[in-house]
Amino acid sequence: EIYDQPNNIHHVFRGRISEINRSIEFPDKVELLLDPNIESIRIVACGTSFYSGLVSKYIIEQLTDLPVLMDLASEYRYFGTKDDKSLVIGITQSGETADTLAALRKARNSGCKTLVVTNVIGSTATRISDAYILTQSGPEIGVAATKTFTSQILVLFLIALKLGLLKRKIGADDLYNYIQDLKKLPKKVRQVLEQSEDILQIAHQLKNAKSVFFIGRGINYPISLEGALKLKEISYIHAEGFAAGELKHGPFALLTKITPVVAIITNDSTYDKMIANIGEVKARGPQVIAVAEENDTEIEKHADFILRIPAKSNLLSCIPIIVTLQLLAYHVANLNECSIDKPRNLAKSVTVE
Ligand code: M6R
């Protein structure tokens, strides 16, 4: 399923991007919901789907200026406040997660319009919402979500582009440039998949770890959360993701020489801050594995090991980065002879509370 991703990216775009018209097209019911006058977007989801929502928050806010509120469905269903000004987007691979369904019902009952992003046509989520968009990823059997995570982000990216155009935050030329970035993505993901052997070498560094930190800033912060979730759920190694700026507010207390740190660093406004954070980590003794762009030579002075992602960084770099982290988790789990597709104590779809 990790290897399905280059093809899946094409499936997300199929029938939705018109390069000739320079437009993004969705079914009528979806278009009706994407009203430029909405005041905010609220995303409800669980687990990996929540993290794809958190990644999308960075994308939507940048492309539309709309505030995006994030709610774990399991919390929102009981504590969500009445708010009929937001478009509520539920993200759920299965379309059957009990908490996400309850959150969507609550949103609808409080007068919100609801849009679902799901992989399963005919699922309950598609039936209880005002409209839905399919991720078109094909069945996902592994309990750990991989290809659907990237497809969810790309669907939300298309929603952001559509709203950005409607709100005149972006123009037709910007859209054209974003479409070019999207078209380059399958090749970039293939490039990462071809590096599987290099990633396996790094996996050897992690296989006996008791705990691993993942750090990043901006859009790479939720990618750190998802990278840590993948490692913990399939390899059973304790892993946590952090916004790199938060380490000194508590997590440093847990950092010892034997806690490897995976640091995501891209050539954008966060670069210098990440270099500083890597320095703070190194001063405490751990080994740093950087996930960095292929043309970044500076990072060689700071990190112990480097996993390379294709240059050059843009809003979609998070996709090759997460594919790198999925493969890293896969190799660590494989080295430790874990049951990768069916990790202990977990179900693919959590249909009870
Ligand atoms: O089907 P859903 O996307 O609603 O599932 C939500 C979570 O249970 C799910 O994303 C879970 O965290 C992943 N399988 C973990 O890889």
Side-chain angles (χ1 to χ4, degrees), residues 46-49 91-95 97 100 143-145 152 229-230 233 348 350:
C46 299
T48 287
S49 295
I91 308 178
T92 166
Q93 183 283 132
S94 61
T97 299
T100 308
V143 166
Q152 286 169 347
L229 178 60
K230 288 295 87 104
E233 72 178 326
K348 180 66 182 160
V350 185

Side-chain angles (χ1 to χ4, degrees), residues 62-77:
Q62 184 165 329
L63 296 183
T64 70
D65 276 346
L66 278 171
V68 178
L69 314 163
M70 291 299 309
D71 279 288
L72 286 163
S74 54
E75 292 293 309
Y76 178 84
R77 68 179 290 184

Side-chain angles (χ1 to χ4, degrees), residues 185-315:
L185 208 47
K187 188 170 166 218
K188 289 186 171 185
V189 170
R190 242 175 251 121
Q191 220 174 304
V192 168
L193 296 173
E194 283 159 10
Q195 288 169 191
S196 181
E197 279 303 310
D198 301 339
I199 300 174
L200 170 61
Q201 294 316 310
I202 307 286
H204 282 280
Q205 304 298 322
L206 298 187
K207 78 178 173 80
N208 295 320
K210 292 277 170 286
S211 180
V212 180
F213 279 18
F214 288 72
I215 60 170
R217 281 177 176 259
I219 198 167
N220 295 328
Y221 158 51
I223 293 292
S224 304
L225 297 174
E226 173 62 6
L229 178 60
K230 288 295 87 104
L231 185 67
K232 76 177 89 161
E233 72 178 326
I234 65 169
S235 78
Y236 314 141
I237 293 175
H238 173 254
E240 294 298 331
F242 299 104
E246 285 298 295
L247 289 178
K248 53 173 75 72
H249 299 290
F252 267 158
L254 289 174
L255 202 62
T256 67
K257 292 206 283 284
I258 57 164
T259 317
V261 176
V262 178
I264 306 169
I265 179 160
T266 42
N267 290 330
D268 52 28
S269 60
T270 66
Y271 188 86
D272 292 345
K273 296 278 178 207
M274 278 304 299
I275 289 285
N277 292 134
I278 290 171
E280 291 162 358
V281 167
K282 291 288 304 164
R284 286 157 179 85
Q287 292 206 308
V288 170
I289 297 157
V291 180
E293 285 173 36
E294 61 194 353
N295 55 1
D296 179 356
T297 48
E298 172 66 23
I299 191 66
E300 289 156 17
K301 297 181 211 145
H302 304 271
D304 300 284
F305 303 96
I306 304 171
L307 289 170
R308 295 293 183 175
I309 54 145
K312 85 185 218 292
S313 113
N314 58 38
L315 261 187

Side-chain angles (χ1 to χ4, degrees), residues 152-188:
Q152 286 169 347
I153 293 171
L154 292 171
V155 167
L156 271 291
F157 191 85
L158 296 184
I159 292 175
L161 288 174
K162 179 91 194 178
L163 279 170
L165 283 170
L166 289 169
K167 290 177 67 63
R168 299 186 192 285
K169 173 80 192 341
I170 61 171
D173 289 347
D174 300 317
L175 178 70
Y176 179 81
N177 292 333
Y178 285 120
I179 292 175
Q180 302 319 304
D181 290 344
L182 284 168
K183 282 167 69 178
K184 288 182 197 142
L185 208 47
K187 188 170 166 218
K188 289 186 171 185

